[in-house]
Amino acid sequence: MSSDFEGYEQDFAVLTAEITGKIARVPRLPPDEKKQMVANVEKQLEEARELLEQMDLEVREIPPQSRGMYSNRMRSYKQEMGKLETDFKRSRIAYSDEVRNELLGDDGNSSENQRAHLLDNTERLERSSRRLEAGYQIAVETGVSPMPKTPNKLWHKPKESSLWKGSLKSSSPILISYPNFLDN
């Protein structure tokens, strides 16, 4: 029985070496070859799982006094199989990221462009905020109320006076009242 187990061990070693080599090549292959390689690795991983099952059955048939050594080997092989599957998932994720980037046209610079755009907008917002705060401070110092107590003093039509409606018409008198504080 141990000779069958050792034969399975050799087959498992050869198969895992092939799988490891293919997993390492997956991210660097052209798209068509990647698909084929991923399918091939999936088949080989299934073969390796079947070999582990056969080895496990062999270990169960070994007499209890000799089983300990083979059980330790099996644990090691199962851990190796788990590592192979994890590595394969990682290479597939890297492959998926590359495919996604190809489809979306993400060349890696877009995140830098987005970051620069975000920083520009943040600076613009900060400048506008500082100007609004300065205007408010001047209004407080001079004793002029920065906003009328009732919005109806600014608007002539009651329907357009509600700030809660969220329309641009209702906020335009405020913008017109404070044109120097907005940064364009």
Side-chain angles (χ1 to χ4, degrees):
M1 279 189 230
S2 65
S3 63
D4 290 339
F5 183 83
E6 290 171 0
Y8 290 138
E9 279 182 313
Q10 289 174 355
D11 292 344
F12 184 77
V14 169
L15 192 56
T16 56
E18 287 177 16
I19 293 170
T20 302
K22 289 179 180 180
I23 288 173
R25 290 192 337 226
V26 166
R28 295 184 298 247
L29 291 173
D32 295 336
E33 291 180 32
K34 284 181 186 180
K35 289 179 186 177
Q36 292 173 350
M37 185 67 73
V38 166
N40 192 340
V41 170
E42 286 174 344
K43 288 178 186 175
Q44 287 186 320
L45 283 171
E46 185 58 36
E47 288 178 35
R49 284 186 212 102
E50 289 174 9
L51 272 174
L52 280 177
E53 288 176 19
Q54 289 296 322
M55 292 166 64
D56 198 29
L57 290 174
E58 288 293 323
V59 168
R60 290 180 187 172
E61 293 178 10
I62 294 176
Q65 60 272 17
S66 307
R67 194 176 300 167
M69 176 180 68
Y70 292 105
S71 295
N72 288 337
R73 286 185 189 175
M74 280 302 299
R75 254 185 259 116
S76 171
Y77 294 138
K78 287 179 182 179
Q79 287 175 348
E80 185 176 349
M81 186 67 190
K83 183 183 177 302
L84 281 175
E85 289 173 343
T86 302
D87 291 345
F88 181 58
K89 286 178 186 176
R90 286 184 184 148
S91 73
R92 284 185 64 163
I93 290 171
Y95 167 66
S96 298
D97 287 345
E98 289 175 10
V99 169
R100 181 186 59 81
N101 290 343
E102 287 174 14
L103 289 174
L104 297 176
D106 186 14
D107 58 357
N109 292 331
S110 65
S111 63
E112 292 175 18
N113 292 338
Q114 289 174 350
R115 180 171 158 60
H117 188 68
L118 181 61
L119 288 173
D120 290 342
N121 287 338
T122 302
E123 290 173 10
R124 186 175 176 187
L125 181 62
E126 287 174 356
R127 283 193 312 268
S128 295
S129 296
R130 284 192 301 267
R131 291 171 84 182
L132 282 171
E133 287 174 7
Y136 179 78
Q137 188 64 32
I138 291 170
V140 168
E141 289 173 0
T142 59
V144 177
S145 176
M147 295 290 291
K149 292 184 180 179
T150 59
N152 289 334
K153 290 183 180 177
L154 285 177
W155 295 288
H156 300 291
K157 296 179 183 176
K159 289 183 181 177
E160 292 181 0
S161 67
S162 174
L163 290 174
W164 301 110
K165 289 188 180 182
S167 70
L168 186 57
K169 284 183 179 180
S170 66
S171 61
S172 63
I174 294 172
L175 297 176
I176 292 169
S177 300
Y178 300 103
N180 296 332
F181 298 117
L182 295 177
D183 187 19
N184 292 330

